[in-house]
Amino acid sequence: MINTLYLPEIREMLAEQNVAELREFCSALHPARTAEFMDGLTSTESWGVIRVADRPIRKEIFTYFDIERQLEILRTQDRDELGELITDLAADDRVDILNELEEEIVDDLLMRIPVEERRDILRLSQYPEGTAGAVMTTEVATLSANLTVRKALDELSRETEEYETIYYLYIVDDDNQLRGLVSARQLLAAMRTPDTQLVDLMETDIVAANVMDDQEEVANKVAKLDLLAIPVLDAERHIVGIITHDDIIDVVREEATEDAHRIAAVDPLDESYLKTGVLTLSWKRGIWLGILFIFALLTALALKQYDEKLEAWAWLVPFIPLVISSGGNSGSQSATLIITALARGHVTLSDWWTIVWRELLMGMLLGGALGLMGYLVTVTLFSSTIPGFLGASVVPLTLFLVVISGTLTGSILPLIFARLGWDPAMMSNPFVAGIIDILGIIIYMNVAIAILL
Amino acid sequence: MINTLYLPEIREMLAEQNVAELREFCSALHPARTAEFMDGLTSTESWGVIRVADRPIRKEIFTYFDIERQLEILRTQDRDELGELITDLAADDRVDILNELEEEIVDDLLMRIPVEERRDILRLSQYPEGTAGAVMTTEVATLSANLTVRKALDELSRETEEYETIYYLYIVDDDNQLRGLVSARQLLAAMRTPDTQLVDLMETDIVAANVMDDQEEVANKVAKLDLLAIPVLDAERHIVGIITHDDIIDVVREEATEDAHRIAAVDPLDESYLKTGVLTLSWKRGIWLGILFIFALLTALALKQYDEKLEAWAWLVPFIPLVISSGGNSGSQSATLIITALARGHVTLSDWWTIVWRELLMGMLLGGALGLMGYLVTVTLFSSTIPGFLGASVVPLTLFLVVISGTLTGSILPLIFARLGWDPAMMSNPFVAGIIDILGIIIYMNVAIAILL
């Protein structure tokens, strides 16, 4: 929803180039709200507003613009001023934005920022997507172990602007290897003994991530230990960055959404739903629908094998959807339960035997219940078409067996995917559904043949 | 995986009642790791280890035990000592644990803790599950607006232990109404002007939650603004608590898992997969399987209406699973896309027209593609059974229409659920699947009748 309340005033300030009022507007509210108020402006107008603000505030507001607006500003506005902006942005945010931008613009912008910042951007953009290195920022507060509390507070009070977070202070040796951790809280509590050295204050059992760690594993670790941030180390334990709580929340949300999409056979989107074009989205859905179509085709071919039987026992036909959807539903329940449990670390591969055993039990319980419902239904609603007691037992028995196949397939496939090092969320539900459909038909026909022939 | 490395040593220390060594063990590592090392001990042994540790450390380690162990300790160990522990625990954590415990034990424990703490527990436990009030903790650092920076630092350095986070300091008036916010970072940066009053330093445009706000909305707000914590206010803007980043991560994960389960027609679990009993889990799945069964039954009844046609055109039968699974799959893709986009705030109800229009377009594209595949398949693999060109167009045309019905049903149903104030994740996929199955059959038969009769 666009808030149009202040738009006329803002446009007037812009027309008059009323710098004082524009600066006032930029600093009056939380930068996120200021950005929201500018939703109705063009990119050029938005930049016109924030370019006169103080650099820290300008950067903050820019961060809250949506990615399209950010890119359009970077594409169209004065490159020298944009160079300043890029210099100010958080190291991880600017890499994310530049990754979306055309190469020649990036090159031109990079030429206008200080060399250390440029190196920093290039280094960060090397890490493959999905790794801790790609999520981290390099603005990490490190202190030397032999500093006193007084000196540390003094240093921090001068440099707070520079760091993404100052709530964890990492203690390093001369070689920038991580040695310990002091929290801002501990530092404050130690103000009464200002000559204490950090080395005597620091915790040494530190939880850290490696640059190449998978972002989801890092997020699980941070969530489990309730950390505010986690330091990122290279292979030699040099501290190269930090991942903070806000990035962890983004990772958790991103991974959960991707999993949900994969489970429903949609290739994960790079952008949000409305920002993804209809063609891209159709493609991301179409490839999986195509694969599922092939499975459904195999089901059709399986059914075709039994066409003589189905003509002889035409009363079996109406139950085909019932049989395959019961199997498919119980299978996708199992698959989703196991996939989410694997993602959150609630089960591991070593639990496979427990899982299979539990799913077998549940399959028998649920299959038994559905079988009973199926029996009651066939002897009431369908009694006119079904031949005798033996006939009435075909659908119930099939339901029992199909649900068990569903729970077993649905639980075992994600485990196999995980064992092979693939993402268990990927393809599991389509696979489960496809396999269960075929299995369901084969079970149904063979039960019928065994009972009726 | 249980680490058995230190178990013999720990048991020896316990047998000898070697308090010095036990205390040393408790304080040497990160409390989460200490808790992990005790995985192989009984609850009584674990309590034996941590009861001799310093109270802050004992509380920390206890927090990292899993909930079963925590409950067993609370059920079996010395109540006076446990009263101390409960007093020390974070206000939100202890409410969560006590909620799981038998009432008479809770009453007995509550009698052993100071009256203010007891009131605090009773107040917190009033808020309904899923609200900001139920997630927040009451240990929030508030300061008076007329304090100077020096005094504020001094006060904080004395009381850091008491608060869940000291990184945001909330400035209140005499009536405890929220007036402003100073971050620990700003406070540190202001150390050079120690006589500044907080009122001149504080930000006044503060993002806050209300006690009765939905936890998911609060999490979305915190995530959007990259906050470290959010203050929780009552109806009169008194500050009553705070929700910190770690609780937000838990909420995000919990909501995402619940959504995934609902989407797959599993009633959300209160515990993790392995900790939920087979009977409970069967029930949480069975109720939905039962509902889906009824839908499938309606499909069977719909098919039964067409039994004469199906006997006459028996070659239509093998394509039944193909038709309904194509509709169901495209429908569950749409439903999942819309449900996740709604949950993350990427779409709102006001976008309904855009959504329906996009889904219609995608339905036509995907339906067209599947229809084309269906045509190629019918004229090759199934050419022997299909009567002529008109016959060959039944399945493709059906696929086209069924996929469009799928994308429309899958996108509109979650929107309707959201509009009614229900959780769109709840029942949408089962509903979608059930409705599409029936629709699919009706479309299929009517297309066949229109073309073949």
Side-chain angles (χ1 to χ4, degrees):
Chain A
M1 197 121 48
I2 291 177
N3 191 324
T4 53
L5 204 61
Y6 293 108
L7 293 187
E9 280 88 343
I10 301 176
R11 292 213 165 98
E12 206 181 305
M13 293 182 220
L14 277 172
E16 295 168 357
Q17 276 301 307
N18 190 333
V19 172
E21 280 191 17
L22 287 170
R23 289 168 61 97
E24 165 72 24
F25 168 75
C26 287
S27 58
L29 299 170
H30 189 291
R33 250 178 253 191
T34 314
E36 253 175 45
F37 276 123
M38 286 194 261
D39 261 357
L41 298 180
T42 67
S43 298
T44 302
E45 286 171 334
S46 316
W47 178 247
V49 174
I50 64 170
R51 61 181 281 274
V52 299
D54 287 339
R55 285 173 62 166
I57 291 174
R58 176 172 71 183
K59 168 204 77 169
E60 281 291 318
I61 301 175
F62 182 84
T63 309
Y64 288 109
F65 286 156
D66 60 33
I67 178 82
E68 276 76 29
R69 169 155 304 195
Q70 292 176 340
L71 292 175
E72 209 174 312
I73 289 174
L74 292 180
R75 285 191 186 109
T76 54
Q77 304 303 315
D78 180 82
R79 294 276 160 84
D80 280 325
E81 286 177 1
L82 292 173
E84 266 184 23
L85 175 77
I86 303 259
T87 310
D88 294 341
L89 286 175
D92 50 346
D93 292 343
R94 63 189 178 193
V95 171
D96 291 343
I97 300 169
L98 293 176
N99 275 342
E100 304 281 315
L101 208 61
E102 295 71 23
E103 206 172 323
E104 69 268 23
I105 303 181
V106 174
D107 290 344
D108 190 32
L109 287 172
L110 285 182
M111 278 172 41
R112 293 160 203 263
I113 67 174
V115 59
E116 326 85 82
E117 306 279 334
R118 186 158 66 226
R119 281 210 198 106
D120 189 63
I121 290 173
L122 295 175
R123 195 170 54 236
L124 265 185
S125 55
Q126 280 166 19
Y127 299 108
E129 204 166 324
T131 62
V135 190
M136 74 183 187
T137 185
T138 48
E139 292 132 337
V140 47
T142 57
L143 293 171
S144 165
N146 53 19
L147 281 187
T148 61
V149 167
R150 181 185 290 120
K151 281 239 173 90
L153 282 168
D154 193 50
E155 188 154 321
L156 275 183
S157 70
R158 257 183 290 120
E159 301 183 2
T160 55
E161 272 303 334
E162 267 180 50
Y163 303 119
E164 179 99 359
T165 176
I166 57 152
Y167 305 126
Y168 287 159
L169 306 165
Y170 296 104
I171 312 300
V172 292
D173 61 17
D174 297 341
D175 192 29
N176 206 33
Q177 281 190 316
L178 182 61
R179 290 284 175 241
L181 166 74
V182 174
S183 68
R185 181 193 286 243
Q186 285 172 302
L187 206 58
L188 278 180
M191 275 178 70
R192 297 151 181 281
T193 53
D195 294 317
T196 317
Q197 283 199 320
L198 297 184
V199 67
D200 299 319
L201 207 63
M202 70 190 189
E203 285 166 30
T204 52
D205 184 43
I206 309 164
V207 180
N210 185 282
V211 266
M212 295 306 287
D213 282 353
D214 180 76
Q215 62 173 12
E216 193 168 11
E217 276 166 40
V218 177
N220 282 343
K221 205 187 269 187
V222 170
K224 188 177 165 206
L225 301 180
D226 293 344
L227 301 177
L228 205 63
I230 191 167
V232 184
L233 309 181
D234 66 12
E236 288 83 38
R237 291 189 64 81
H238 301 113
I239 184 162
V240 289
I242 183 170
I243 303 179
T244 47
H245 60 98
D246 50 327
D247 297 315
I248 294 292
I249 292 180
D250 290 344
V251 168
V252 168
R253 284 158 59 104
E254 189 186 312
E255 295 279 346
T257 308
E258 285 190 2
D259 280 357
H261 288 176
R262 287 208 180 94
I263 290 174
V266 179
D267 216 47
L269 313 184
D270 304 318
E271 300 283 338
S272 68
Y273 173 79
L274 285 181
K275 289 182 184 150
T276 308
V278 166
L279 282 179
T280 311
L281 205 45
S282 296
W283 173 249
K284 283 174 180 288
R285 301 171 61 161
I287 38 174
W288 290 110
L289 281 184
I291 294 172
L292 294 174
F293 185 86
I294 294 168
F295 274 99
L297 196 62
L298 296 176
T299 312
L301 287 170
L303 266 176
K304 193 170 158 239
Q305 299 306 307
Y306 298 104
D307 54 357
E308 283 171 29
K309 298 279 179 297
L310 283 171
E311 282 185 47
W313 304 321
W315 60 272
L316 289 177
V317 171
F319 298 104
I320 292 176
L322 186 75
V323 164
I324 61 177
S325 77
S326 298
N329 290 331
S330 56
S332 71
Q333 285 183 334
S334 298
T336 305
L337 283 168
I338 303 304
I339 291 167
T340 51
L342 281 168
R344 295 201 45 183
H346 290 163
V347 303
T348 61
L349 283 176
S350 58
D351 297 314
W352 74 273
W353 176 242
T354 318
I355 294 171
V356 171
W357 175 241
R358 284 164 57 95
E359 292 292 328
L360 178 65
L361 278 179
M362 279 189 270
M364 293 197 296
L365 277 169
L366 294 169
L370 288 197
L372 186 64
M373 284 172 79
Y375 180 76
L376 295 175
V377 161
T378 44
V379 296
T380 54
L381 295 174
F382 293 84
S383 59
S384 60
T385 55
I386 291 174
F389 173 76
L390 274 181
S393 65
V394 173
V395 171
L397 186 57
T398 304
L399 285 171
F400 180 70
L401 294 174
V402 162
V403 170
I404 293 174
S405 321
T407 59
L408 289 181
T409 314
S411 53
I412 293 172
L413 271 181
L415 292 174
I416 293 178
F417 273 63
R419 180 71 189 78
L420 295 172
W422 303 342
D423 182 345
M426 199 176 74
M427 312 202 295
S428 288
N429 265 17
F431 261 44
V432 169
I435 291 173
I436 296 294
D437 280 2
I438 303 170
L439 268 180
I441 293 301
I442 295 172
I443 291 173
Y444 189 30
M445 290 299 116
N446 282 295
V447 167
I449 291 167
I451 290 181
L452 300 173
L453 269 190
Chain B
M1 196 118 52
I2 291 177
N3 191 322
T4 53
L5 203 62
Y6 293 107
L7 292 187
E9 280 88 345
I10 300 176
R11 292 215 165 96
E12 207 180 304
M13 293 181 221
L14 276 173
E16 296 168 358
Q17 276 297 309
N18 189 334
V19 172
E21 280 191 18
L22 287 171
R23 289 168 60 98
E24 164 74 25
F25 168 75
C26 287
S27 59
L29 299 169
H30 189 291
R33 247 177 256 190
T34 313
E36 251 174 48
F37 276 122
M38 287 195 259
D39 261 358
L41 298 181
T42 66
S43 299
T44 302
E45 286 170 335
S46 315
W47 178 248
V49 174
I50 64 171
R51 60 180 283 275
V52 300
D54 287 339
R55 284 173 63 167
I57 292 176
R58 176 173 70 182
K59 169 203 75 171
E60 281 292 317
I61 301 174
F62 182 84
T63 309
Y64 288 110
F65 286 154
D66 60 32
I67 180 79
E68 274 77 28
R69 170 157 305 195
Q70 292 176 339
L71 292 175
E72 207 174 314
I73 289 174
L74 292 180
R75 284 192 187 108
T76 54
Q77 304 302 315
D78 181 83
R79 295 274 160 88
D80 280 324
E81 285 177 3
L82 292 174
E84 265 184 25
L85 175 78
I86 303 258
T87 310
D88 294 341
L89 284 176
D92 49 346
D93 291 344
R94 63 188 177 193
V95 171
D96 292 344
I97 301 169
L98 292 177
N99 275 341
E100 304 282 315
L101 208 61
E102 294 70 23
E103 206 171 325
E104 70 267 24
I105 304 181
V106 174
D107 291 343
D108 190 32
L109 286 172
L110 284 182
M111 279 172 42
R112 294 161 203 263
I113 68 175
V115 59
E116 325 86 82
E117 307 279 334
R118 185 160 65 222
R119 283 210 197 107
D120 189 65
I121 290 173
L122 295 174
R123 196 168 52 235
L124 266 184
S125 55
Q126 278 166 21
Y127 299 107
E129 205 168 322
T131 62
V135 189
M136 73 182 189
T137 184
T138 46
E139 292 131 338
V140 48
T142 55
L143 292 172
S144 166
N146 53 16
L147 280 187
T148 60
V149 167
R150 179 184 292 119
K151 281 239 174 92
L153 282 167
D154 192 51
E155 188 154 320
L156 275 183
S157 70
R158 257 183 290 122
E159 300 184 3
T160 57
E161 273 301 336
E162 267 180 50
Y163 303 120
E164 178 99 0
T165 175
I166 57 151
Y167 303 128
Y168 288 158
L169 306 165
Y170 297 103
I171 313 301
V172 291
D173 60 18
D174 297 340
D175 191 31
N176 207 33
Q177 280 190 315
L178 182 61
R179 289 286 174 239
L181 167 73
V182 172
S183 68
R185 180 193 286 242
Q186 285 172 302
L187 206 58
L188 279 179
M191 276 178 71
R192 309 163 166 274
T193 53
D195 294 317
T196 316
Q197 282 198 323
L198 297 184
V199 68
D200 299 319
L201 207 62
M202 71 189 188
E203 288 167 30
T204 52
D205 184 44
I206 308 163
V207 180
N210 184 282
V211 267
M212 294 307 286
D213 282 352
D214 181 75
Q215 62 173 11
E216 192 168 12
E217 276 167 40
V218 177
N220 282 342
K221 205 186 268 188
V222 171
K224 190 179 164 203
L225 301 179
D226 292 346
L227 302 176
L228 205 65
I230 191 167
V232 183
L233 310 181
D234 66 12
E236 288 83 34
R237 290 190 66 80
H238 300 113
I239 184 160
V240 290
I242 185 172
I243 303 179
T244 48
H245 60 98
D246 49 326
D247 297 314
I248 294 291
I249 293 180
D250 290 343
V251 168
V252 169
R253 284 157 59 104
E254 188 186 314
E255 295 279 345
T257 308
E258 285 188 3
D259 280 356
H261 288 175
R262 288 209 180 94
I263 290 174
V266 179
D267 215 48
L269 314 183
D270 304 318
E271 300 282 338
S272 67
Y273 174 79
L274 285 181
K275 290 183 183 150
T276 308
V278 165
L279 282 180
T280 311
L281 205 46
S282 298
W283 173 248
K284 283 173 180 288
R285 301 170 61 159
I287 39 173
W288 291 110
L289 280 184
I291 293 171
L292 295 173
F293 184 85
I294 293 167
F295 276 99
L297 196 62
L298 295 176
T299 313
L301 287 169
L303 266 175
K304 193 172 158 237
Q305 299 306 309
Y306 299 103
D307 55 356
E308 282 171 28
K309 299 278 179 295
L310 282 172
E311 281 187 45
W313 303 320
W315 57 273
L316 291 176
V317 170
F319 297 104
I320 292 175
L322 185 74
V323 165
I324 62 176
S325 79
S326 297
N329 290 331
S330 55
S332 72
Q333 285 183 334
S334 298
T336 306
L337 282 167
I338 303 304
I339 290 167
T340 52
L342 281 169
R344 293 201 46 182
H346 290 164
V347 304
T348 61
L349 283 177
S350 58
D351 298 313
W352 74 272
W353 176 243
T354 319
I355 294 171
V356 171
W357 175 242
R358 284 163 57 94
E359 292 292 328
L360 177 66
L361 278 179
M362 277 189 270
M364 294 197 296
L365 276 168
L366 294 169
L370 287 198
L372 186 66
M373 285 172 79
Y375 181 75
L376 295 174
V377 161
T378 43
V379 298
T380 53
L381 294 174
F382 293 83
S383 61
S384 59
T385 55
I386 290 173
F389 172 76
L390 275 180
S393 64
V394 173
V395 171
L397 187 57
T398 303
L399 285 172
F400 179 70
L401 295 174
V402 161
V403 170
I404 293 174
S405 321
T407 59
L408 289 181
T409 315
S411 52
I412 292 172
L413 270 182
L415 291 174
I416 293 179
F417 273 63
R419 180 71 189 76
L420 295 174
W422 303 341
D423 182 346
M426 197 176 77
M427 312 201 295
S428 286
N429 264 18
F431 261 44
V432 169
I435 290 172
I436 296 293
D437 280 2
I438 303 169
L439 267 180
I441 292 302
I442 294 173
I443 292 172
Y444 189 30
M445 289 299 115
N446 283 295
V447 166
I449 291 168
I451 290 181
L452 300 174
L453 268 191

